[in-house]
Amino acid sequence: MIITCLDLEGVLVPEIWIAFADAVGIPELRRTTRDEPDYDKLMKYRIEILKKNNLGLKEIQSTIEKIDPLPGAKEFLDELRECCQTIIISDTFSQFAAPLMKKLGQPTIFCNTLEVAENGEITGYKMRCEKSKLTTVKALQSIGFDTIASGDSFNDLGMIQASKAGFLFRSTPQIIKDYPQYPAFTEYSELLAAIKKYL
């Protein structure tokens, strides 16, 4: 049995931190896992900027409420879920993901959790497990599943490399250049057709 594992941000929905950076006018918050491979370093950087600007979970959630899935994403996901089990594996947080999952038809998502003080200040974060995307794919394989994986960023490469088939989707020119062995797509129809070849 095959399970398709998809990244969330940049693949199905816009990048949350970029949307928030634009909403509050802080360009430094536009930095994502496409720019910084070290997730811990990236999150500490973000939390420091939020603290400096007195911004917390409420402000970010207010931006997320206005974010819609990327055009065609829900239809792609609906069609994919009709032909195979699908899990979204994301380094986002449960406090961010909930309204987006609603708009995507409540697919299964594995993600992380923010540590939030009573006043709404984001004080830290808790990863679901170390190297969460790769670890999850390996765990699925250990219980008898084959995996297909697709994502756009550095933190997706582990699950892509470990899977039976892996695809880049709307990735950066640099990642596409550095990993030519993985087909790179920009349209959902192309990605869906590529996945279906392995089902």
Side-chain angles (χ1 to χ4, degrees):
M1 190 173 179
I2 289 176
I3 294 184
T4 299
C5 302
L6 297 174
D7 178 35
L8 178 65
E9 294 178 66
V11 174
L12 298 170
V13 303
E15 293 280 352
I16 291 167
W17 287 97
I18 289 177
F20 182 61
D22 292 348
V24 295
I26 303 173
E28 293 85 355
L29 284 172
R30 289 179 62 88
R31 197 163 175 75
T32 71
T33 50
R34 287 171 159 224
D35 314 298
E36 175 54 69
D38 185 331
Y39 193 71
D40 186 57
K41 185 176 169 185
L42 178 63
M43 277 308 299
K44 283 176 177 165
Y45 168 81
R46 288 166 167 169
I47 289 168
E48 188 60 38
I49 292 171
L50 292 175
K51 191 173 182 178
K52 203 185 296 180
N53 290 276
N54 291 315
L55 295 166
L57 179 59
K58 188 178 69 157
E59 288 81 9
I60 300 174
Q61 286 178 327
S62 172
T63 296
I64 293 169
E65 288 291 343
K66 298 175 193 127
I67 293 175
D68 286 320
L70 292 166
K74 185 179 184 301
E75 294 76 9
F76 159 74
L77 198 53
D78 288 346
E79 195 171 340
L80 182 61
R81 289 164 75 194
E82 274 182 23
C83 54
C84 72
Q85 296 294 313
T86 304
I87 298 172
I88 297 171
I89 307 176
S90 174
D91 278 338
T92 194
F93 306 97
S94 54
Q95 295 97 327
F96 290 3
L100 297 168
M101 293 307 100
K102 200 172 177 183
K103 291 177 183 180
L104 284 168
Q106 295 296 2
T108 299
I109 183 168
F110 295 168
C111 60
N112 306 310
T113 312
L114 287 169
E115 293 167 348
V116 185
E118 279 186 28
N119 66 356
E121 181 189 341
I122 296 170
T123 56
Y125 68 99
K126 191 168 189 279
M127 297 294 278
R128 189 173 45 79
C129 57
E130 196 179 336
K131 294 183 181 171
S132 61
K133 298 187 181 194
L134 174 61
T135 303
T136 302
V137 157
K138 287 194 165 178
L140 291 168
Q141 291 166 352
S142 77
I143 54 171
F145 293 99
D146 277 328
T147 59
I148 296 171
S150 183
D152 68 329
S153 298
F154 285 109
N155 64 339
D156 299 311
L157 292 169
M159 71 172 179
I160 288 171
Q161 289 163 340
S163 291
K164 176 180 180 176
F167 309 105
L168 296 169
F169 188 72
R170 296 184 183 168
S171 190
T172 66
Q174 191 59 53
I175 292 174
I176 292 168
K177 182 171 175 265
D178 291 346
Y179 296 88
Q181 65 271 45
Y182 301 113
F185 303 118
T186 57
E187 299 300 324
Y188 291 117
S189 56
E190 298 171 327
L191 181 57
L192 187 64
I195 291 169
K196 281 184 171 179
K197 283 181 187 170
Y198 289 88
L199 301 178

